[in-house]
Amino acid sequence: MTLVLGIDIGGTATRAVVTTLGGTRAGFGRAGAANPVTIPAAEAAANLTAAISAALSTVDASRIGVAVAGAAGGSRPAVLQAAFDTLGVQCPLHVVGDAEVAFAAGTGEPDGSVLISGTGAVAAEISGGRIFRTADGLGWLLGDLGSGFWIGRTAATATARALYRGDPPGPLVARVTAAVDETAADPFVVAVHTWKPRDLASLAPLVTAAAADGDTLALSIMDEAATHLCETVAEIRPPGDRSPIVLAGGVLRHCSWLRASVHDQLRVTWPEAVVCLAAPGEEGAARLAARLLR
Amino acid sequence: MTLVLGIDIGGTATRAVVTTLGGTRAGFGRAGAANPVTIPAAEAAANLTAAISAALSTVDASRIGVAVAGAAGGSRPAVLQAAFDTLGVQCPLHVVGDAEVAFAAGTGEPDGSVLISGTGAVAAEISGGRIFRTADGLGWLLGDLGSGFWIGRTAATATARALYRGDPPGPLVARVTAAVDETAADPFVVAVHTWKPRDLASLAPLVTAAAADGDTLALSIMDEAATHLCETVAEIRPPGDRSPIVLAGGVLRHCSWLRASVHDQLRVTWPEAVVCLAAPGEEGAARLAARLLR
């Protein structure tokens, strides 16, 4: 039986899955980030090799008919091909945008919109299965509004402001100061600036947890993130569009509070559209790979 | 005659001035950034030594009675003292917040407010010549709204969005793409992410120039910067306060359009306050030094 390999290259993790053409899982691997824009080439190559190697450990690699990898931003096919060569994988490899993979992970339709919030954030209009245009996706320095980075950075800013004002620490401030290991204002700000900026996305789950505690600061950050994400969708999606809207990315997948808020806001503008949650990106990549063989 | 040494340690430049107790300039030096939060210690030491050495080249260092240095964020007196030791400067050294220096550079009053927009941005309430409380000043990653960094970063974001939309390039987009040396959307975003973030402040003068050309994008960025700066002042200054408001920092000193907009907005909220522009920070530091000897 012919197998396919699907790879999702994200800002926080790289995941690879081997499936049958019908989508039954035969192998899986996970490693650290291999995002080609922000991760050094050697580290990206090591993480890609580790994830693919783990996925292949339970199957015969020669049975894989085709591989599809989804990557945010400018892709680095050479790094991916080098990992294939190292592992002796000889099937054809297609590198596509992470938005195409995410859309395929959420729907079998050819046209619609996809909103991704993971470490970064982007919305894309998909036409005939391909990205037609995008909004945001500008990276942590210039955009990614409503992403895990944005939520984490906004939580750090809110915490710094609370420390300078001398507010009694609520659930969010208590969690963030514990994570940064500084409770005084000046040292807190200095410590955060020593982080790699994208690592601020690691604070996003603290906002989710504090929101669940009813922390008003955390809830307002989540509200603002949801509004940003829906505004990003509106940049590429006309009013009245009835095509599906796929929600994807680690933040939208794992933060049910944010997902519900985004869902509600999207339904106000596009009441006739199906809004659905994508499967993990590597499964979308495997679905695209299977389509290539049919 | 006794002399004093004033030093301004900024995010972009370090400046040192030697003056008489009456403020007459006897020596001056300028070097690169020595901000203790964001510049490595060795680079900070080299720039401090260069600026002070140049300022002392026209005077007898043994005549200097006291030195005052203003520094943003957590100061590094050891780095400064090492520069003094290297140069054989033996007078007492006082390191104070850049807001105290900026306020003294704008007024002889003991109480009031100071708003600094340079590479970073901060507002402070000054009481008895000392910082009583501050707002923003959170650094490029967490705040500094309306600073040179913020203006430059916002210009880069606006440019990226215009490139993705395919807008015909106006004066701002033309200047920013020329500075980044990329005119296509994806390569532009990747190139900006290779910059040291604080270097985005170097784009701020392009916004000033484009605003002078009447570019609506540049004007809206300047408007938003002015609003942010005035909101930062409002965090530390009560309504109805009649004490002076000092405007300082390279961006407020050199961008007359932004300064006028900030001035107008401040006068709406505090119509009875004098709003004045500070002299360069090193002159404020020298004034504080002279006061110590009177």
Side-chain angles (χ1 to χ4, degrees), chain B residues 52-107:
Chain B
I52 297 168
S53 173
L56 296 177
S57 64
T58 50
V59 298
D60 174 0
S62 68
R63 288 171 59 202
I64 297 178
V66 67
V68 168
S75 62
R76 264 191 196 146
V79 173
L80 201 45
Q81 190 59 55
F84 271 39
D85 294 344
T86 300
L87 295 167
V89 182
Q90 299 190 340
C91 69
L93 163 68
H94 298 265
V95 180
V96 301
D98 59 346
E100 293 173 17
V101 160
F103 187 73
T107 177

Side-chain angles (χ1 to χ4, degrees), chain A residues 68-105:
Chain A
V68 168
S75 62
R76 265 192 195 145
V79 173
L80 200 46
Q81 189 60 55
F84 270 40
D85 294 344
T86 300
L87 295 167
V89 182
Q90 299 191 339
C91 69
L93 163 68
H94 297 266
V95 180
V96 302
D98 59 346
E100 293 173 16
V101 160
F103 187 74

Side-chain angles (χ1 to χ4, degrees), chain A residues 37-38 73-74 134 136-143 145 149 153 156-157 160-161 164-165 186 188-190 192-193 195 197 200 235, chain B residues 37-38 73-74 134 136-143 145 149 153 156-157 160-161 164-165 186 188-190 192-193 195 197 200 235:
Chain A
V37 175
T38 53
T134 64
D136 202 348
L138 300 183
W140 64 266
L141 185 56
L142 300 183
L145 305 182
F149 166 78
R153 199 254 317 264
T157 296
R161 291 171 58 96
Y164 278 107
R165 282 195 308 263
D186 276 347
F188 176 86
V189 169
V190 171
V192 171
H193 279 80
W195 286 30
L200 285 169
E235 286 183 43
Chain B
V37 175
T38 53
T134 63
D136 202 350
L138 300 183
W140 65 266
L141 185 56
L142 300 183
L145 307 183
F149 167 77
R153 198 254 316 266
T157 296
R161 291 170 59 95
Y164 279 108
R165 281 195 308 264
D186 276 346
F188 177 86
V189 169
V190 171
V192 171
H193 279 81
W195 285 31
L200 284 169
E235 286 185 41

Side-chain angles (χ1 to χ4, degrees), chain A residues 4 11 20 50 91 107 127 167 169 176 180 189 208 227 242 244-245:
Chain A
V4 293
T20 66
C91 69
T107 178
S127 178
D167 296 350
V176 172
V180 175
V189 169
T208 303
T227 300
R242 299 181 179 193
I245 304 173

Side-chain angles (χ1 to χ4, degrees), chain A residues 27-42:
Chain A
F28 179 76
R30 188 185 190 285
N35 184 302
V37 175
T38 53
I39 307 292

